[in-house]
Amino acid sequence: MEKTVFVEMNNICKTFGVIRANRNINFRVNQGEIHALLGENGAGKSTLVNMLSGIYTPDAGSIEIYGKPVKIHSPRQAFELGIGMIHQHFKLIDVLTAAENILLSEKGSLFLSEKEALKKIQKVMENYGLLIDLSKKISDMSVSEKQTVEIIKVLYRGAKILILDEPTAVLTPQEIEKLFVILRNLAKGGCAVIIITHKLNEVMTISDRVTVLRQGETIATLDTQSTNYRELTELMVGKPVDLTIERLPSKKGNLMLEVKNLTVLGEHQVKVLDNVTFDLYGGEILGVAGVAGSGQKELCESIAGLYPVESGSIVFEDENIVGLNPREIIRKGISMSFIPEDRLGMGLIPSMDMVDNMLLKDYVNQPGIAIDRKPARQKAERVRKRLNIQTPGLSTPIRKLSGGNIQKVLLGREIDSNPRLLITAYPARGLDIGVSYNIYDLLQEQKQKGVGILYIGEDLDVLIELCDRIMVLCDGRITGIVESKSITKEGLGLLMAGESLTALEKEEHLCRL
Amino acid sequence: MQIINRPGTSIKQVITIRVIAIMAAAVVSSFLITLLGYNPLVVFSNMIKGALGSNIRIKATLLEMIPLTIASLGIIIAFKMKLWNIGGEGQILMGAFDASFIALKVDWIPSFLVLPVMFIVGFLAGGLWAFIPAFFKARFGANETIMTLMLNYIAIQWITYLQYGPWRDPKNMGFPKIPNFPKEALLPQIFGIHAGLIISLVLVVVITWFMKKTKKGFEIAVVGESVATAKYAGMDVFSVIITAMLISGGLCGITGVIQTSGVNKTLTFNVSSGYGNTAIITAWLSGLSAPWALLVSFLFAILLQGGSYIQSALQIPSSAADVLQGMILFCILGSEFFVRYKVRFTAKKPVSNGGAKAC
């Protein structure tokens, strides 16, 4: 049976200043298929779908939707064509219920018959097998439920072409499973689903076909069944890449950090970390797994002296550092680098250049009131070489660099200060495969030097391969600390969702060594 | 039509936009001038002539430039930290008041020390006037804009009270005026203009150095960009805010000292005559850079001096001259919008967008 082509983009070009984000891209999505758009950061994935959803207009090339040539000038127009985008950051109103959020988008909703509208939503949900309590408030929902609401929202508006931008980043493995079931239902129901991702295993599990972009060009469109990890990686990176992280051996050093019964409060006096106890040795990488917002940030910040500790102790080399100010903690050799979701929030000043950003942590140690930028410039040069940072020059504001290079600036600065304890959260967030592996290598190099590393990560495969032990946080509590050799990905997922270690042993997700 | 954030505007674009704005201002004002029955070309050339046409006029322009420059420097330091100090007026007045107290009421200071003491006291007084909102901002997150603004009124009323009440000169037969300063409290003249000119130039150099080459200057810039990062780097954000506001207010205080002792030779409630407010504009237009502030202040001084010249030379009513100034300001400040955003008309092919990054 000939499949209906829903989206056809031919020879799309889009230039931003000197950067050619899309060059003669051809992209075609059929009805009823899940099409993965795969590529590294900066490959042009977002640019391409943003032209479908009316945020950008192409400089050249043509777009056909349902076989008809169209020009999409605005998100509204994209809407009317039945193109719905689900962003990584949900656009929902917390204090309203699911139903209210879905109806918000309705034109002239003032005189809407609520009963009829609800019936319509129910029908959409039935059609695609979606389950959600429509009267539940968004603020009471989990991330995965919110995502479902977003999906219902665009379907309710009549979307036939759904674009999901990195939809799995915020989900646990179990939630990802659920999402994939939904996506399959959507495809079965006659929609075209485009999923943007840079995670290969997701491409392999969910997609029917995959289009690989690299440096703004279409490299290939393949049937997922006829390809494999290795081929996709090579297409994406442009050269063969070894995908396994070899956990390097290192001598377990002395007890370096001992956290005991650490409790910290968040807004409304809620316990964000609840009685957290663990230890960390020199020469080891202790991974921290958990769904986003399980207390990772607070853990990092309380060790770094940036977050008030309610009770408990943090002992670094026989000294309780609770109550010391950040500067004193830095002086002890504790370095923290947290890459937030926007990848810029903390630790760097986007409008300043590399030299000044290197200066941030060192300037205090200079004598007198004046600043000598020479050592910082040398350091910047050193870090640039060591991590192979791509920048027009050391005096270019770092916000003009690509995300990966910005992250390298941060991590490079922290490593260059020769820390004893390195806390690093999401250092490879959103990075290209090649660059991520660079970063893992750097971390292992530090580990072999005897540095204690607390690694907060999101990719479970990486956590298992890179870390010596993994500690799992769920709602601010530790649900388990395990040897990474003895745990499976599913096991970690269950712990992340709040299961206990004993339950896991029963289900054989964990083999005790 | 869409309004889009410009991710990065190049210097060339900024200059182009500014030049277009000035030209637009000239065109709009030309209409107004023609409506009033004057020849715009004559009026504009008279403005330039009035500001730069002779030594005396240049001197008058420089006298406007001095307070604008120093007050701008003060405002720049606060703005660099994203603390919106709009209390320049009040800080100028309080600096002027404390210096006047030394000049008029303290007689035991040896005469060669009177001026230095006036400067120190004036700096501290302006600083203190800025310290109050800074403290509440840093401790309790109070809104510094409103507090600095309110403190302006207190300062003005306080000086007015002094002028009409306790400090009024009895020899002046009922005219509400504070006595003139004694000789040792007057700024010396250098090259026919009071020493404030030298002071302002020195301060431009010092503040440029301070902001670029000192730890405190660096901390101020970091706190302005991201409080989270500043804390992360171990900075004491509270003390950075306080120091910066002390210096910011202190510089405005010095402006007050210079105006009383160099220009008015006494204290009056209108000693500041709007410099504290105009400095907000000049500071902003200079892109918060000290050397540029000097240039912008000079151009503004030309505008002010030229504006008052055409009033007398062409008998243009003073309000019309004010409207003219306002028009020019409006266009230049309005162009800020285009520096920050670009407007896209969706029907047309969009212009390619400066420094945007690929996704």
Side-chain angles (χ1 to χ4, degrees), chain A residues 16-17 42 44 46-47 57 306 327 336 345 347-349 351-352 356 361 363-364 366 368-371 373 399 401 413-414, chain B residues 7 209 212-215 218-219 221-222 225-226 228-229 231-235 344 346 349-350 352-354 356-359:
Chain A
F16 297 106
S46 310
T47 310
T57 41
L306 291 164
R327 191 160 280 166
M336 198 264 277
L348 294 172
I349 300 287
S351 63
M352 292 184 177
D356 276 10
K361 275 188 151 176
Y363 77 100
V364 233
Q366 294 187 1
I369 57 161
I371 282 180
R373 282 190 166 73
R399 89 178 119 79
L401 310 188
R413 182 184 72 200
E414 297 308 317
Chain B
W209 172 79
K212 290 230 163 100
K213 299 275 181 193
T214 67
K215 291 180 180 174
F218 181 65
E219 288 182 341
V222 171
E225 289 292 336
S226 159
T229 300
K231 283 187 182 150
Y232 165 89
M235 292 176 189
R344 187 169 87 173
T346 15
K349 207 181 148 190
S352 84
N353 129 5
K357 266 184 287 176
C359 49

Short mmCIF file of all heavy atoms in Angstrom, two decimals, chain A residues 16-17 42 44 46-47 57 306 327 336 345 347-349 351-352 356 361 363-364 366 368-371 373 399 401 413-414, chain B residues 7 209 212-215 218-219 221-222 225-226 228-229 231-235 344 346 349-350 352-354 356-359:
data_model
loop_
_atom_site.label_atom_id
_atom_site.label_comp_id
_atom_site.label_asym_id
_atom_site.label_seq_id
_atom_site.Cartn_x
_atom_site.Cartn_y
_atom_site.Cartn_z
N PHE A 16 21.94 31.49 9.72
CA PHE A 16 21.93 32.52 10.77
C PHE A 16 23.27 33.21 10.72
O PHE A 16 24.28 32.64 11.14
CB PHE A 16 21.76 31.89 12.16
CG PHE A 16 20.47 31.17 12.34
CD1 PHE A 16 20.40 29.79 12.35
CD2 PHE A 16 19.30 31.90 12.51
CE1 PHE A 16 19.21 29.14 12.53
CE2 PHE A 16 18.10 31.25 12.68
CZ PHE A 16 18.05 29.87 12.70
N GLY A 17 23.28 34.44 10.24
CA GLY A 17 24.56 35.13 10.14
C GLY A 17 25.50 34.33 9.28
O GLY A 17 25.23 34.07 8.12
N GLY A 42 23.71 20.96 17.37
CA GLY A 42 24.17 21.84 16.32
C GLY A 42 24.10 21.20 14.95
O GLY A 42 24.58 21.76 13.98
N GLY A 44 21.39 20.74 13.38
CA GLY A 44 20.33 21.42 12.65
C GLY A 44 18.95 20.84 12.87
O GLY A 44 18.00 21.20 12.16
N SER A 46 16.77 21.12 15.52
CA SER A 46 15.78 22.08 16.01
C SER A 46 15.44 23.11 14.95
O SER A 46 14.29 23.48 14.79
CB SER A 46 16.29 22.80 17.25
OG SER A 46 16.76 21.88 18.17
N THR A 47 16.46 23.57 14.23
CA THR A 47 16.21 24.55 13.18
C THR A 47 15.20 23.99 12.20
O THR A 47 14.25 24.67 11.81
CB THR A 47 17.52 24.88 12.45
OG1 THR A 47 18.51 25.19 13.42
CG2 THR A 47 17.34 26.05 11.50
N THR A 57 11.31 30.81 9.18
CA THR A 57 10.93 30.51 7.79
C THR A 57 12.21 30.19 7.04
O THR A 57 13.23 30.82 7.26
CB THR A 57 10.23 31.71 7.14
OG1 THR A 57 10.92 32.89 7.52
CG2 THR A 57 8.79 31.80 7.54
N LEU A 306 26.58 26.23 49.34
CA LEU A 306 25.68 27.22 48.73
C LEU A 306 24.24 27.04 49.19
O LEU A 306 23.38 27.83 48.86
CB LEU A 306 25.73 27.08 47.21
CG LEU A 306 27.04 27.50 46.55
CD1 LEU A 306 27.11 26.97 45.13
CD2 LEU A 306 27.16 29.02 46.56
N ARG A 327 33.74 30.05 49.74
CA ARG A 327 35.15 30.31 49.43
C ARG A 327 36.06 29.39 50.24
O ARG A 327 37.04 28.86 49.73
CB ARG A 327 35.46 31.78 49.70
CG ARG A 327 36.79 32.20 49.18
CD ARG A 327 36.88 33.69 49.01
NE ARG A 327 36.25 34.14 47.78
CZ ARG A 327 35.96 35.41 47.53
NH1 ARG A 327 36.21 36.33 48.43
NH2 ARG A 327 35.40 35.74 46.40
N MET A 336 32.94 22.25 42.41
CA MET A 336 31.61 21.84 42.00
C MET A 336 31.32 22.43 40.64
O MET A 336 31.51 23.63 40.42
CB MET A 336 30.59 22.33 43.03
CG MET A 336 29.26 21.63 42.98
SD MET A 336 28.05 22.50 42.02
CE MET A 336 27.46 23.68 43.22
N GLY A 345 23.34 28.70 33.55
CA GLY A 345 22.95 29.34 34.81
C GLY A 345 24.03 29.56 35.83
O GLY A 345 24.16 30.66 36.35
N GLY A 347 28.01 29.24 37.47
CA GLY A 347 29.43 28.93 37.36
C GLY A 347 30.14 29.71 36.28
O GLY A 347 31.35 29.84 36.31
N LEU A 348 29.37 30.24 35.35
CA LEU A 348 29.99 31.00 34.28
C LEU A 348 29.23 32.30 34.08
O LEU A 348 28.06 32.41 34.42
CB LEU A 348 29.96 30.21 32.97
CG LEU A 348 30.78 28.92 32.90
CD1 LEU A 348 30.48 28.18 31.62
CD2 LEU A 348 32.26 29.23 33.01
N ILE A 349 29.94 33.28 33.50
CA ILE A 349 29.29 34.53 33.13
C ILE A 349 29.28 34.59 31.61
O ILE A 349 30.31 34.78 30.99
CB ILE A 349 30.06 35.74 33.70
CG1 ILE A 349 30.13 35.67 35.22
CG2 ILE A 349 29.42 37.04 33.24
CD1 ILE A 349 28.85 35.97 35.92
N SER A 351 28.41 36.70 29.37
CA SER A 351 28.83 37.88 28.61
C SER A 351 30.33 38.13 28.73
O SER A 351 30.86 39.02 28.09
CB SER A 351 28.05 39.10 29.08
OG SER A 351 28.37 39.35 30.42
N MET A 352 30.99 37.38 29.59
CA MET A 352 32.44 37.60 29.74
C MET A 352 33.21 36.59 28.90
O MET A 352 32.69 35.55 28.52
CB MET A 352 32.83 37.47 31.20
CG MET A 352 32.28 38.59 32.07
SD MET A 352 32.87 38.44 33.76
CE MET A 352 32.13 39.90 34.48
N ASP A 356 38.17 35.99 31.70
CA ASP A 356 37.48 36.46 32.89
C ASP A 356 36.76 35.31 33.59
O ASP A 356 36.62 35.31 34.81
CB ASP A 356 36.49 37.57 32.54
CG ASP A 356 37.18 38.91 32.48
OD1 ASP A 356 38.43 38.91 32.53
OD2 ASP A 356 36.50 39.95 32.40
N LYS A 361 37.29 32.09 39.86
CA LYS A 361 37.59 31.39 41.11
C LYS A 361 38.99 31.70 41.64
O LYS A 361 39.31 31.36 42.77
CB LYS A 361 37.44 29.89 40.90
CG LYS A 361 35.99 29.46 41.07
CD LYS A 361 35.89 27.96 41.04
CE LYS A 361 34.72 27.47 41.85
NZ LYS A 361 34.59 26.02 41.74
N TYR A 363 40.70 34.86 41.25
CA TYR A 363 41.12 36.25 41.45
C TYR A 363 41.37 36.58 42.92
O TYR A 363 42.23 37.37 43.24
CB TYR A 363 40.07 37.20 40.85
CG TYR A 363 38.85 37.36 41.72
CD1 TYR A 363 38.70 38.47 42.54
CD2 TYR A 363 37.87 36.39 41.73
CE1 TYR A 363 37.59 38.59 43.36
CE2 TYR A 363 36.77 36.51 42.54
CZ TYR A 363 36.63 37.62 43.35
OH TYR A 363 35.55 37.74 44.17
N VAL A 364 40.65 35.92 43.84
CA VAL A 364 40.83 36.22 45.26
C VAL A 364 42.24 35.92 45.73
O VAL A 364 42.73 36.54 46.66
CB VAL A 364 39.92 35.35 46.15
CG1 VAL A 364 39.14 36.21 47.06
CG2 VAL A 364 39.10 34.41 45.35
N GLN A 366 44.94 36.44 44.32
CA GLN A 366 45.98 37.38 43.91
C GLN A 366 46.19 38.42 45.01
O GLN A 366 45.25 38.79 45.69
CB GLN A 366 45.58 38.07 42.61
CG GLN A 366 45.50 37.11 41.45
CD GLN A 366 45.26 37.83 40.13
OE1 GLN A 366 45.17 39.05 40.09
NE2 GLN A 366 45.16 37.07 39.06
N GLY A 368 46.87 42.11 46.70
CA GLY A 368 46.51 43.49 46.39
C GLY A 368 45.08 43.64 45.92
O GLY A 368 44.30 42.69 45.97
N ILE A 369 44.74 44.86 45.48
CA ILE A 369 43.37 45.09 45.07
C ILE A 369 43.22 44.99 43.55
O ILE A 369 42.11 44.90 43.03
CB ILE A 369 42.85 46.48 45.52
CG1 ILE A 369 43.74 47.59 44.98
CG2 ILE A 369 42.72 46.56 47.02
CD1 ILE A 369 43.07 48.94 44.99
N ALA A 370 44.34 45.01 42.84
CA ALA A 370 44.25 44.96 41.38
C ALA A 370 44.24 43.52 40.90
O ALA A 370 44.58 42.61 41.64
CB ALA A 370 45.42 45.71 40.76
N ILE A 371 43.81 43.35 39.66
CA ILE A 371 43.73 42.02 39.07
C ILE A 371 44.79 41.90 37.99
O ILE A 371 44.93 42.79 37.15
CB ILE A 371 42.34 41.78 38.45
CG1 ILE A 371 41.35 41.47 39.55
CG2 ILE A 371 42.39 40.64 37.45
CD1 ILE A 371 39.96 41.21 39.02
N ARG A 373 45.58 39.77 34.83
CA ARG A 373 44.89 38.80 34.00
C ARG A 373 45.83 37.81 33.32
O ARG A 373 45.40 36.91 32.64
CB ARG A 373 44.04 39.51 32.94
CG ARG A 373 42.74 40.05 33.52
CD ARG A 373 41.79 40.54 32.44
NE ARG A 373 40.46 40.74 32.97
CZ ARG A 373 40.11 41.74 33.76
NH1 ARG A 373 41.01 42.62 34.16
NH2 ARG A 373 38.86 41.86 34.19
N ARG A 399 29.21 33.28 25.63
CA ARG A 399 27.85 32.96 25.19
C ARG A 399 27.80 32.76 23.68
O ARG A 399 26.86 32.18 23.15
CB ARG A 399 26.88 34.05 25.64
CG ARG A 399 26.70 35.20 24.69
CD ARG A 399 25.69 36.20 25.22
NE ARG A 399 26.32 37.49 25.40
CZ ARG A 399 26.57 38.34 24.42
NH1 ARG A 399 26.24 38.02 23.18
NH2 ARG A 399 27.16 39.48 24.65
N LEU A 401 29.91 30.89 22.14
CA LEU A 401 30.39 29.55 21.85
C LEU A 401 29.21 28.58 21.81
O LEU A 401 28.13 28.89 22.28
CB LEU A 401 31.39 29.08 22.91
CG LEU A 401 32.53 30.01 23.30
CD1 LEU A 401 33.50 29.29 24.20
CD2 LEU A 401 33.25 30.52 22.07
N ARG A 413 37.98 24.52 33.68
CA ARG A 413 38.42 25.39 34.76
C ARG A 413 38.47 24.61 36.07
O ARG A 413 39.43 24.72 36.83
CB ARG A 413 37.46 26.57 34.90
CG ARG A 413 37.90 27.53 35.98
CD ARG A 413 36.89 28.63 36.18
NE ARG A 413 35.69 28.13 36.83
CZ ARG A 413 34.51 28.76 36.78
NH1 ARG A 413 34.38 29.86 36.10
NH2 ARG A 413 33.48 28.24 37.40
N GLU A 414 37.44 23.81 36.32
CA GLU A 414 37.39 23.08 37.58
C GLU A 414 38.52 22.06 37.68
O GLU A 414 39.16 21.92 38.71
CB GLU A 414 36.04 22.37 37.73
CG GLU A 414 34.86 23.33 37.79
CD GLU A 414 35.03 24.42 38.82
OE1 GLU A 414 35.48 24.11 39.94
OE2 GLU A 414 34.74 25.59 38.52
N PRO B 7 19.99 38.37 19.42
CA PRO B 7 20.92 37.67 20.31
C PRO B 7 22.24 38.42 20.49
O PRO B 7 22.76 38.53 21.56
CB PRO B 7 21.14 36.35 19.61
CG PRO B 7 20.25 36.33 18.43
CD PRO B 7 19.78 37.70 18.16
N TRP B 209 39.79 52.21 35.37
CA TRP B 209 40.73 51.26 35.96
C TRP B 209 40.02 50.39 37.00
O TRP B 209 40.16 49.17 37.02
CB TRP B 209 41.89 52.04 36.61
CG TRP B 209 42.82 51.18 37.41
CD1 TRP B 209 43.81 50.37 36.93
CD2 TRP B 209 42.84 51.04 38.83
NE1 TRP B 209 44.44 49.74 37.97
CE2 TRP B 209 43.87 50.13 39.16
CE3 TRP B 209 42.09 51.60 39.87
CZ2 TRP B 209 44.17 49.76 40.46
CZ3 TRP B 209 42.39 51.23 41.18
CH2 TRP B 209 43.41 50.32 41.46
N LYS B 212 37.80 47.78 35.38
CA LYS B 212 38.44 46.78 34.52
C LYS B 212 39.54 45.99 35.22
O LYS B 212 39.82 44.86 34.86
CB LYS B 212 39.04 47.48 33.29
CG LYS B 212 37.99 48.01 32.33
CD LYS B 212 38.30 47.56 30.91
CE LYS B 212 37.09 47.70 30.01
NZ LYS B 212 37.14 48.89 29.18
N LYS B 213 40.19 46.64 36.17
CA LYS B 213 41.44 46.04 36.65
C LYS B 213 41.45 45.72 38.14
O LYS B 213 42.48 45.32 38.66
CB LYS B 213 42.61 47.01 36.37
CG LYS B 213 42.81 47.31 34.91
CD LYS B 213 43.65 46.25 34.24
CE LYS B 213 43.83 46.63 32.78
NZ LYS B 213 44.36 45.58 31.96
N THR B 214 40.38 45.93 38.85
CA THR B 214 40.43 45.63 40.28
C THR B 214 39.48 44.49 40.61
O THR B 214 38.55 44.19 39.87
CB THR B 214 40.05 46.84 41.15
OG1 THR B 214 38.68 47.14 40.95
CG2 THR B 214 40.91 48.04 40.84
N LYS B 215 39.76 43.88 41.75
CA LYS B 215 38.92 42.78 42.20
C LYS B 215 37.49 43.23 42.44
O LYS B 215 36.54 42.55 42.05
CB LYS B 215 39.49 42.21 43.50
CG LYS B 215 40.80 41.50 43.34
CD LYS B 215 41.28 40.98 44.68
CE LYS B 215 42.61 40.27 44.52
NZ LYS B 215 43.18 39.87 45.79
N PHE B 218 35.63 43.75 39.27
CA PHE B 218 35.30 42.44 38.69
C PHE B 218 34.10 41.83 39.41
O PHE B 218 33.16 41.34 38.79
CB PHE B 218 36.53 41.53 38.81
CG PHE B 218 36.35 40.17 38.22
CD1 PHE B 218 36.16 40.00 36.86
CD2 PHE B 218 36.39 39.04 39.02
CE1 PHE B 218 36.01 38.73 36.31
CE2 PHE B 218 36.24 37.77 38.49
CZ PHE B 218 36.05 37.62 37.13
N GLU B 219 34.14 41.92 40.75
CA GLU B 219 33.03 41.36 41.53
C GLU B 219 31.72 42.07 41.20
O GLU B 219 30.67 41.42 41.07
CB GLU B 219 33.32 41.48 43.04
CG GLU B 219 34.41 40.52 43.50
CD GLU B 219 34.67 40.62 45.00
OE1 GLU B 219 34.29 41.64 45.61
OE2 GLU B 219 35.26 39.67 45.54
N ALA B 221 30.88 43.46 38.41
CA ALA B 221 30.41 43.00 37.10
C ALA B 221 29.80 41.60 37.21
O ALA B 221 28.77 41.32 36.60
CB ALA B 221 31.57 43.01 36.10
N VAL B 222 30.43 40.73 38.00
CA VAL B 222 29.92 39.36 38.12
C VAL B 222 28.56 39.35 38.83
O VAL B 222 27.62 38.70 38.38
CB VAL B 222 30.93 38.46 38.87
CG1 VAL B 222 30.31 37.11 39.19
CG2 VAL B 222 32.18 38.28 38.04
N GLU B 225 25.86 40.29 36.54
CA GLU B 225 25.48 39.30 35.53
C GLU B 225 24.74 38.12 36.13
O GLU B 225 23.80 37.61 35.55
CB GLU B 225 26.73 38.80 34.80
CG GLU B 225 27.37 39.83 33.88
CD GLU B 225 26.49 40.14 32.68
OE1 GLU B 225 25.66 39.29 32.32
OE2 GLU B 225 26.64 41.23 32.13
N SER B 226 25.21 37.65 37.27
CA SER B 226 24.56 36.49 37.85
C SER B 226 24.91 36.36 39.33
O SER B 226 26.06 36.08 39.68
CB SER B 226 25.00 35.22 37.10
OG SER B 226 24.77 34.08 37.90
N ALA B 228 23.87 34.08 41.25
CA ALA B 228 24.14 32.66 41.53
C ALA B 228 25.61 32.34 41.29
O ALA B 228 26.26 31.70 42.12
CB ALA B 228 23.25 31.78 40.65
N THR B 229 26.14 32.80 40.16
CA THR B 229 27.54 32.53 39.85
C THR B 229 28.46 33.22 40.85
O THR B 229 29.48 32.67 41.25
CB THR B 229 27.87 32.97 38.42
OG1 THR B 229 27.02 32.24 37.53
CG2 THR B 229 29.30 32.70 38.07
N LYS B 231 27.90 33.88 43.98
CA LYS B 231 27.91 33.10 45.22
C LYS B 231 28.73 31.83 45.03
O LYS B 231 29.49 31.43 45.89
CB LYS B 231 26.48 32.71 45.61
CG LYS B 231 25.72 33.86 46.23
CD LYS B 231 24.39 33.38 46.76
CE LYS B 231 23.60 34.53 47.33
NZ LYS B 231 22.15 34.31 47.20
N TYR B 232 28.54 31.21 43.89
CA TYR B 232 29.25 29.99 43.56
C TYR B 232 30.76 30.21 43.60
O TYR B 232 31.50 29.35 44.06
CB TYR B 232 28.79 29.55 42.17
CG TYR B 232 29.62 28.53 41.49
CD1 TYR B 232 29.37 27.18 41.67
CD2 TYR B 232 30.65 28.91 40.65
CE1 TYR B 232 30.13 26.24 41.02
CE2 TYR B 232 31.42 27.98 40.00
CZ TYR B 232 31.16 26.64 40.18
OH TYR B 232 31.90 25.71 39.54
N ALA B 233 31.20 31.39 43.13
CA ALA B 233 32.62 31.68 43.13
C ALA B 233 33.09 32.14 44.51
O ALA B 233 34.24 32.50 44.69
CB ALA B 233 32.94 32.73 42.08
N GLY B 234 32.18 32.14 45.46
CA GLY B 234 32.55 32.48 46.82
C GLY B 234 32.52 33.96 47.14
O GLY B 234 33.11 34.40 48.12
N MET B 235 31.86 34.75 46.30
CA MET B 235 31.83 36.19 46.57
C MET B 235 30.82 36.50 47.67
O MET B 235 29.79 35.85 47.78
CB MET B 235 31.44 36.95 45.31
CG MET B 235 32.50 36.88 44.25
SD MET B 235 31.94 37.69 42.75
CE MET B 235 33.26 37.19 41.64
N ARG B 344 10.27 42.16 12.65
CA ARG B 344 10.23 41.40 11.41
C ARG B 344 8.83 41.49 10.84
O ARG B 344 7.86 41.23 11.54
CB ARG B 344 10.60 39.96 11.70
CG ARG B 344 10.74 39.12 10.48
CD ARG B 344 11.36 37.80 10.84
NE ARG B 344 10.31 36.87 11.25
CZ ARG B 344 10.55 35.58 11.49
NH1 ARG B 344 11.77 35.11 11.43
NH2 ARG B 344 9.58 34.78 11.82
N THR B 346 6.36 39.73 8.71
CA THR B 346 6.33 38.34 8.25
C THR B 346 6.04 38.20 6.78
O THR B 346 6.41 37.23 6.16
CB THR B 346 5.31 37.52 9.05
OG1 THR B 346 4.47 38.42 9.73
CG2 THR B 346 6.02 36.62 10.01
N LYS B 349 10.43 38.69 3.18
CA LYS B 349 11.47 37.74 3.52
C LYS B 349 12.23 38.28 4.73
O LYS B 349 12.63 39.43 4.74
CB LYS B 349 12.41 37.61 2.33
CG LYS B 349 13.08 36.26 2.27
CD LYS B 349 14.00 36.22 1.08
CE LYS B 349 15.17 35.34 1.42
NZ LYS B 349 16.23 35.37 0.49
N PRO B 350 12.41 37.45 5.74
CA PRO B 350 13.06 37.98 6.93
C PRO B 350 14.53 38.29 6.68
O PRO B 350 15.19 37.58 5.93
CB PRO B 350 12.91 36.84 7.93
CG PRO B 350 12.73 35.62 7.10
CD PRO B 350 12.06 36.05 5.85
N SER B 352 18.32 38.28 7.55
CA SER B 352 19.08 37.29 8.30
C SER B 352 19.52 37.91 9.59
O SER B 352 19.74 39.11 9.69
CB SER B 352 20.27 36.82 7.50
OG SER B 352 21.33 37.74 7.69
N ASN B 353 19.66 37.07 10.58
CA ASN B 353 19.72 37.58 11.92
C ASN B 353 21.12 37.45 12.45
O ASN B 353 21.70 36.38 12.51
CB ASN B 353 18.57 36.88 12.64
CG ASN B 353 18.89 36.22 13.91
OD1 ASN B 353 20.00 36.32 14.42
ND2 ASN B 353 17.91 35.55 14.44
N GLY B 354 21.69 38.60 12.76
CA GLY B 354 23.07 38.80 13.16
C GLY B 354 23.86 37.61 13.67
O GLY B 354 24.35 36.81 12.90
N ALA B 356 23.03 34.96 15.57
CA ALA B 356 22.31 33.83 16.17
C ALA B 356 23.10 32.54 16.02
O ALA B 356 23.81 32.34 15.04
CB ALA B 356 20.96 33.67 15.53
N LYS B 357 22.95 31.71 16.99
CA LYS B 357 23.62 30.43 16.93
C LYS B 357 22.73 29.42 16.23
O LYS B 357 21.52 29.53 16.23
CB LYS B 357 23.91 29.92 18.33
CG LYS B 357 25.30 30.30 18.78
CD LYS B 357 25.60 29.71 20.13
CE LYS B 357 24.87 30.40 21.22
NZ LYS B 357 25.05 29.84 22.51
N ALA B 358 23.35 28.42 15.65
CA ALA B 358 22.56 27.30 15.14
C ALA B 358 21.97 26.58 16.33
O ALA B 358 22.49 26.67 17.44
CB ALA B 358 23.46 26.37 14.35
N CYS B 359 20.90 25.86 16.08
CA CYS B 359 20.15 25.25 17.17
C CYS B 359 21.04 24.43 18.08
O CYS B 359 21.90 23.76 17.72
CB CYS B 359 19.09 24.32 16.60
SG CYS B 359 19.74 23.20 15.39
#
